[in-house]
Structure formats: C-alpha cells, structure tokens
Amino acid sequence: MDEVKLLVTDIKNKKLKPIYFLMGEEPYYIDRISDFIQESILTEEEKGFNEMVLYGRDVTVDDIVGHAKRFPMMAEYQVVVVKEAQDLSRTIEKLVDYAKQPQPTTILVVNYKYKTIDKRKALYKALKKSSVVFESKKMYDNKIPDWIKRVLAGKNYSITPKASLMLAEFLGTDLSKISNELNKLQIVLPQGTQITPQHIEENIGISKDYNNFELHKAIGARDVLKAHRIIKYFGENPKDNPMIVTVSLLHNYFSKLLHLHGLQDKSPRNVASALRINPYFVDEYLVAVRNYPMRKVSGVIASLREFDVKSKGVKSNAVPQADLLKELLVRIFN
C-alpha cells in the first residue's frame, strides 16, 4: 500500500511518467491506479479527443504504439489505456522500442493482469529507466485483516479484530471483493463507526456466531457442544461454508499450534510475532496449546490432510459434508 500511496501522490503532483506498466497477480491495485490516472490527468472536456481505451484482445502492439505516438489535441497530454494487456503476452516485448523513446506528451497505461513480464528481458529494463513498473503481488492470508483495518482507517472507520477476521475468512484474498463489501458497510454506517461482528452479520450476511473463527475458538477451548452446533450449521449451509475451506483453515490453525509448541518464548508479544496473528487472539492460542499436546496436534494435522482429500470427493463414497464434518470433530476431540 505504501508504494501505491507514493505513486498516487506523484500523479497528483503532476510528476508523471510516459508509461505506467501495471502487472501482477492481484488485479485490485492495477485497476485502482489505472482508474486514478484516467480520473486525474485530463479534464472532462479534454477526454473527448485525448483519451483512448484499448483492449489487448482487439489490438496489436503496433496498434498501441501507433496511438501512443499521436499528439494531444488542445491539451498537455493524451492518455492511452490498454486493458487486459496480458492477452498480448506473446508479443509484448515488441513494445521495447517505444519504451526506449516514449512520446513525452502521451501517458501510456498498460494493465497486464495475473502475469508479469520477464525482468531479464529488454522491455523490463527499458521501462525501468524512464517509466513506472508496478508489480501488484497477491496478498497473503494473514495480511488481509490488517489490510482491511488500514483501508477502513483511511475512510475514518475502525473495525474490531474479530470482525476483520470474519471478513478475511469468509471473503478470502480477493481484494476487489473485500473492497466491495467494505463499500457496502460505508454506505449504511456513518463515519467514525467501529465495525463489529454484529454489523458484518446484519449487512453482509456472515454469521457472527457460526463461522470458522468461532469454530477454532470452540475447538481450542475443547467446547464440544459449541463446536458441534457450528458444524451442524455448516452442514445445513454448505454453500456459504464449504468443507474444503473449513478443513484448510483448521489445518492452518493447528499448524500454528504446532509452531507454538516449538516456541521457547511464549510471551504474548513473541507469540503474536512468531505466529503472525493479532495480539488480541494470543490468549486463545495459549489456551488451545494447553488443551492439545504436541503429539495430539500432529495427529490432528494428519487427520486434516485425510479429510482434505475426502472433502474433494476422493475415497468418501459420496458421504454428505455434514457427516464428514461430524466425523472430523470426533477425531479432533478424541
């Protein structure tokens, strides 16, 4: 996010580069930067003659260069945006000659999603000399709650740790999807609001009581009754709570417990740092590690690998998800 902020600040201050090559696995920031350039450089009156949007599947690199070499009409710049440029991956290196001598009155924005160009080749080296190459990397699962917190803070909202974890677990790592849900919350909640699990349940539809976070908490505390209630709910609502996700998150949870067993320093600060978890959740992990000796944790992880295969339909003989989850809980608690 810091790199994005610097890039946006430079654009606002008219410190412009002739080419913005936006690439990488995470499309969210590629779209945001590209949209910001379109919104910021030209006035509405100038856009009619000086803004061109092209699509990779419909043009060649020669077409792009031809448009980029034109001069603006009654404006300081023209903006040429190439969307879905990854469709030109086989020929994108042909852009190298233009990258070496770009038209100074053209802002060329290349949206190269889900891929990156070879950093050893001439195009990347030419772009690095006079233009911007931005790589949007996929965000790790454990970074999502903090990202949610930072995005909301920028809009004058806050969020409880449990609420941010609920969003992260339910929505995954798709930043565009998460952003859309956060926008919904901002529409219905006034600025300054601290977003809670209750807000999430009422406005997004994620149950505050029956989710993977609460399941981990119940299992860690060996609260058998609560864990079975959650599993029953998952079995009745498989579309919103797919078993493959539940098993994956439980594997991640018990892997953290195994790591915790190996720590000599179990102070809250060190545990939070070593496990990459919010300090708010440290006490729950310390309770769980007392309830599950290292040998038991290793056994649970082995069972989770077995049920991961079963959740994908292998060797499960079409057993309903609800029954598989019940069997998994019995394995964990026994």
Side-chain angles (χ1 to χ4, degrees):
M1 284 184 69
D2 292 336
E3 186 181 355
V4 175
K5 287 180 180 178
L6 288 172
L7 190 51
V8 167
T9 299
D10 283 346
I11 294 168
K12 283 182 178 178
N13 294 331
K14 301 301 181 183
K15 296 179 181 178
L16 303 173
K17 298 292 185 178
I19 305 174
Y20 290 85
F21 199 99
L22 314 174
M23 64 182 188
E25 294 181 15
E26 176 50 66
Y28 175 78
Y29 284 116
I30 293 175
D31 289 335
R32 291 289 298 272
I33 294 169
S34 181
D35 290 346
F36 183 75
I37 291 173
Q38 284 188 259
E39 293 165 4
S40 303
I41 295 176
L42 300 176
T43 66
E44 288 302 318
E45 293 77 16
E46 292 171 336
K47 286 181 181 179
F49 291 106
N50 298 290
E51 182 179 83
M52 176 72 65
V53 178
L54 309 171
Y55 288 86
R57 65 179 178 272
D58 299 326
V59 297
T60 65
V61 172
D62 288 339
D63 294 331
I64 294 169
V65 171
H67 287 293
K69 285 186 174 181
R70 294 176 181 173
F71 290 96
M73 293 182 63
M74 296 177 289
E76 187 176 0
Y77 295 102
Q78 73 156 338
V79 176
V80 179
V81 179
V82 185
K83 295 182 179 289
E84 310 300 337
Q86 67 274 10
D87 289 340
L88 293 166
S89 60
R90 293 182 178 179
T91 57
I92 195 67
E93 280 293 321
K94 291 182 179 180
L95 191 61
V96 64
D97 289 337
Y98 179 80
K100 289 177 180 178
Q101 291 185 310
Q103 172 68 263
T105 55
T106 294
I107 308 299
L108 175 61
V109 185
V110 182
N111 296 334
Y112 197 83
K113 295 179 181 178
Y114 313 113
K115 296 181 178 182
T116 59
I117 56 173
D118 192 330
K119 296 177 182 179
R120 299 166 298 179
K121 292 189 176 180
L123 176 58
Y124 179 81
K125 294 175 182 177
L127 288 167
K128 288 294 287 183
K129 286 183 179 179
S130 62
S131 301
V132 168
V133 181
F134 172 78
E135 183 174 352
S136 186
K137 296 180 180 180
K138 202 74 176 176
M139 193 170 289
Y140 292 117
D141 293 358
N142 65 302
K143 299 291 184 183
I144 297 297
D146 186 56
W147 182 85
I148 292 170
K149 180 181 176 181
R150 292 176 67 182
V151 168
L152 288 171
K155 303 290 181 63
N156 196 25
Y157 291 85
S158 60
I159 187 168
T160 66
K162 180 180 174 180
S164 64
L165 192 64
M166 283 171 61
L167 285 171
E169 288 189 348
F170 189 78
L171 300 172
T173 59
D174 187 331
L175 299 187
S176 297
K177 188 176 181 181
I178 296 171
S179 180
N180 288 338
E181 297 301 332
L182 294 180
N183 288 337
K184 292 178 186 177
L185 291 171
Q186 292 167 45
I187 290 171
V188 297
L189 300 173
Q191 284 192 342
T193 299
Q194 182 179 54
I195 296 170
T196 66
Q198 187 71 32
H199 292 131
I200 302 295
E201 183 174 60
E202 291 173 354
N203 297 287
I204 297 179
I206 308 171
S207 172
K208 65 181 178 63
D209 297 315
Y210 299 99
N211 55 65
N212 281 294
F213 168 77
E214 290 296 330
L215 178 62
H216 301 167
K217 186 177 178 181
I219 289 174
R222 296 194 71 84
D223 187 336
V224 178
L225 181 60
K226 183 178 178 181
H228 275 283
R229 281 202 304 263
I230 295 171
I231 287 298
K232 182 175 182 291
Y233 178 86
F234 283 6
E236 293 169 350
N237 299 273
K239 186 176 179 180
D240 291 333
N241 304 278
M243 182 177 173
I244 190 170
V245 174
T246 298
V247 172
S248 175
L249 292 173
L250 278 171
H251 186 276
N252 184 48
Y253 176 74
F254 275 94
S255 295
K256 283 184 166 65
L257 290 185
L258 192 63
H259 188 183
L260 179 52
H261 270 295
L263 293 179
Q264 290 186 338
D265 180 2
K266 290 185 173 62
S267 64
R269 177 175 292 183
N270 188 60
V271 170
S273 174
L275 301 189
R276 297 181 179 179
I277 60 174
N278 190 299
Y280 177 86
F281 301 112
V282 168
D283 286 345
E284 292 171 18
Y285 275 85
L286 292 175
V287 169
V289 85
R290 289 194 293 270
N291 284 332
Y292 294 87
M294 183 180 286
R295 180 176 294 180
K296 177 61 177 176
V297 172
S298 298
V300 170
I301 290 174
S303 293
L304 287 167
R305 288 174 179 153
E306 176 188 338
F307 277 83
D308 176 59
V309 174
K310 289 183 177 181
S311 72
K312 296 168 183 173
V314 180
K315 297 181 180 179
S316 60
N317 296 321
V319 178
Q321 174 178 311
D323 293 341
L324 285 173
L325 288 170
K326 288 175 186 177
E327 183 184 347
L328 175 59
L329 267 193
V330 171
R331 290 271 197 100
I332 291 173
F333 282 127
N334 290 342

